[in-house]
Amino acid sequence: MASQKENSSAQEPKKKVRKKRLLSKLYPDFIIQRDLEKCIKCKICIRECTYEAHGWDEKREILTEDHAKCVGCHRCEAMCPTGAIVITKNPSAFREHDTWKPWFIKNVYKQADTGGVLLSATGCAVPFRNYWDHLVLDACQVTNPPIDPLREPMELRTFLGPKPDALQVELDDEGRFYLKTKVGPWIKLEVPIMFAAMSYGAISLHVHQGLARAAKELGTLYNTGEGGLHASLYEYGSNTIVQCASGRFGLHVDYLKAGVAIEIKIGQGAKPGIGGHLPGEKVTEEISKTRMIPVGSDALSPAPHHDIYSIEDLRGLIYALKEATEYKKLVFVKIAAVHNAPAIASGIVRAGADVVVLDGLRGGTGAAPTMFRDYVGIPVELALAAVDQRLREEGIRNWASLVISGGIRCSADVVKAIALGADAVYIGTPALIACGCTMCQRCFTGKCPWGIATNNPKLLKRLDPDTAFERIYNLVHGWAHEIQELLGAMGLNSLESLRGNRDKLRAVGLNETELRILGVKHAGE
Amino acid sequence: MAFEIDAKDIHYRQVNELIREAIDQGAREIVLKNVNGQRYLAAGISSEVKIDVYGTPGLDLGAFMRGPNIVVHGNTQDGAGNTMDEGKIVVHGMAGDVVGYAMRGGKIHVASDVGYRVGIHMKAYMDKVPVIIIGGKAGDFLGEYMAGGMIVLLGINSRYEHRPLAGLFLGTGMHGGVIYLRGEIPSYHLGKGLSLEPINKEDEAILEGYLVDYCQDFGLDLQEIIDEKFFKIRPQTHRPYGKLYAY
């Protein structure tokens, strides 16, 4: 045997095996700190961590940590019965450099390791100016009284859909006035907050069920996203927006007729200009049924709708959908907020959309190339102000409702959006955070330890639909009351009176250009 | 007895209302006369009704439909069979661009040429296998992003004698399904990551099954069609972008 080996090595010069080292694994983002005095070695952390950051050393009978695998989701910390675990930022520091922050260094390592495209989740993480944080609201003092919503009527009701240019009122034979102008169909929202498109596939069925129920109880709408509609959710039709995106997954006549509105997704704030890839690993049996594609096959959504290359083509699809559903559904058109959003929005309104949706730079996602998430698109605050202004100037603002999404974090953001001209907002990320999301931004792995962005049958059980419903409902219920209070303080008793009422806003610390675009005076003016 | 609708000078919305009314009244066969560019005919209709169209239908004929059997006695404009689910569209002439976009089931038979971007993102599911058979030639991007189903390109009845069977970027991004070509195509017309090879016995049997129906629709001789050499295009992987990302 030995001589054989020698022979073979004599024929071929010995090749040195180059050991590949992944630099991206050398400098973990987080450190798992375990207090050994508190730890009872119950191994719950091992079972809870889907990224296998916790381990067990059989020989030494101790728990081990692989810090490089920790994504910072805090699941182990939350589940540890003795509070023995703390997840902290890795204190190990690179030499300070304002240009070469660790984020960039580590990204270069990752790409040099794999040659791949950087992938992220959630919305833009770059600290571009957040205009909500530079806008403040008015309140009544002395000259007009505030209204207390606890004791006086306060209306948050919103009607989505085109409003007539003028109303014609006539007298009937018996001398009573009646409305001659035909109006509607409209969608009535009891709160101006809807749930943004998040597909079944990107998020779990239980979250979808929770969103649907919350929408029903709150008198608002949720959006199916592109993943089709699960059979268990057809009963929530009157609170459903179904989405028609470029992949047309799970899209058929019953689906189109299932909701009260159909949203044509042209773009998404987190990744304007590109399509979506749901990896084959995430296409499970159930997902396959809903999307109507084979188990394990990639679900690729092309960047454009290939039947839409112009505003005229968009009109084609809008009316194809309206014809197919006999004009009973409103058609939303959602675009990412980009440079020419006002002109595009004008075209969308003229193409016949009933609702225009602007999804801003900070709009979330389960998966987007990092460069798109962080650097493509514009903040929705500016886009909203510019679009509302443009539609007003063209005299077509009433032809369609305006909905915005992307970066709404609290009820004050909602109120400011309405004052800037929005009819309603979509929220996605806040609903997920309500369910326990810790913003670890690894949704695309399908391993969400909180059972939110996964459809792994085992992980799904970590969040039941009732809990999801209750928590999402609570959040919006709380926001709705805050909105009433903020309106009351301004002396307004209905949301309608605030819509596009930019005089209720003042800016702090913005420059002339920003003030002009927002159409808002500086505080003190 | 066929139910007749005269589409002369009336809006598509009205034509579709009349079609729906006729179906509600139990019509199984409808004849549309004097169609002149009306869009969305039979869009979203879920019924196994036969519709004979005389004239030229406009955009998105039979979009989202589930079941109707539409025969167009002439040409049709862009978007025929857009996202259709079930049923059949037979065109005794040419069809425009984007025929059968994202269709999931049913058949589209075109006697002559089709335009650009035909059969994009067709997909199959369970017993649903969408099929487009084109008698003439096709423009660029035929079968782009194709995820399932079948496209057959015959090239026997074309107005463009000197053009190749299909345009450029044939099947680009394709990750499922199959495209059959009657005759060869320069390899530079083909998208990346695809294989082009002669068909085998199994393919012959499948093709023949579908071509019998096609020949019946247009009164063609099956033998004459299958005597020519066929090639098939298939994706080399079902995960064309599986290794794109760095986590």
Side-chain angles (χ1 to χ4, degrees), chain B residues 169-235:
Chain B
F169 305 105
L170 173 57
T172 188
M174 184 174 174
H175 54 289
V178 59
I179 299 176
Y180 291 111
L181 303 176
R182 183 177 179 273
E184 290 193 71
I185 189 123
S187 63
Y188 66 88
H189 279 245
L190 221 58
K192 274 186 202 163
L194 302 178
S195 68
L196 178 69
E197 56 197 70
I199 59 167
N200 57 31
K201 287 270 173 251
E202 209 180 310
D203 294 314
E204 273 173 24
I206 295 171
L207 254 176
E208 227 181 283
Y210 286 104
L211 285 173
V212 165
D213 188 32
Y214 182 84
C215 288
Q216 259 170 13
D217 283 337
F218 299 114
L220 296 169
D221 180 19
L222 176 68
Q223 204 53 46
E224 214 172 285
I225 291 177
I226 55 176
D227 273 352
E228 188 72 26
K229 205 168 175 192
F230 276 79
F231 292 84
K232 73 172 166 183
I233 298 169
R234 271 194 178 281

Side-chain angles (χ1 to χ4, degrees), chain B residues 55-227:
Chain B
T56 307
L59 193 73
D60 286 341
L61 169 73
F64 312 110
M65 75 176 193
R66 179 186 283 168
N69 181 352
I70 299 177
V71 181
V72 181
H73 300 273
N75 302 326
T76 185
Q77 292 183 352
D78 300 346
N82 190 343
T83 325
M84 79 185 247
D85 206 30
E86 269 174 52
K88 189 174 177 186
I89 297 177
V90 178
V91 182
H92 286 269
M94 296 186 293
D97 295 342
V98 234
V99 177
Y101 176 35
M103 73 188 276
R104 187 188 303 113
K107 288 179 179 176
I108 298 179
H109 290 174
V110 182
S112 180
D113 299 307
V114 295
Y116 292 86
R117 310 192 303 274
V118 169
I120 292 190
H121 218 305
M122 282 166 76
K123 42 179 89 63
Y125 178 65
M126 310 284 274
D127 55 340
K128 283 178 188 276
V129 181
V131 177
I132 299 179
I133 306 181
I134 301 154
K137 294 176 177 179
D140 296 348
F141 297 105
L142 178 71
E144 186 185 12
Y145 268 112
M146 195 167 166
M150 182 196 297
I151 296 175
V152 185
L153 190 57
L154 299 175
I156 50 174
N157 178 18
S158 176
R159 300 209 312 172
Y160 308 106
E161 199 189 327
H162 300 294
R163 285 191 193 169
L165 257 181
L168 297 169
F169 305 105
L170 173 57
T172 188
M174 184 174 174
H175 54 289
V178 59
I179 299 176
Y180 291 111
L181 303 176
R182 183 177 179 273
E184 290 193 71
I185 189 123
S187 63
Y188 66 88
H189 279 245
L190 221 58
K192 274 186 202 163
L194 302 178
S195 68
L196 178 69
E197 56 197 70
I199 59 167
N200 57 31
K201 287 270 173 251
E202 209 180 310
D203 294 314
E204 273 173 24
I206 295 171
L207 254 176
E208 227 181 283
Y210 286 104
L211 285 173
V212 165
D213 188 32
Y214 182 84
C215 288
Q216 259 170 13
D217 283 337
F218 299 114
L220 296 169
D221 180 19
L222 176 68
Q223 204 53 46
E224 214 172 285
I225 291 177
I226 55 176
D227 273 352

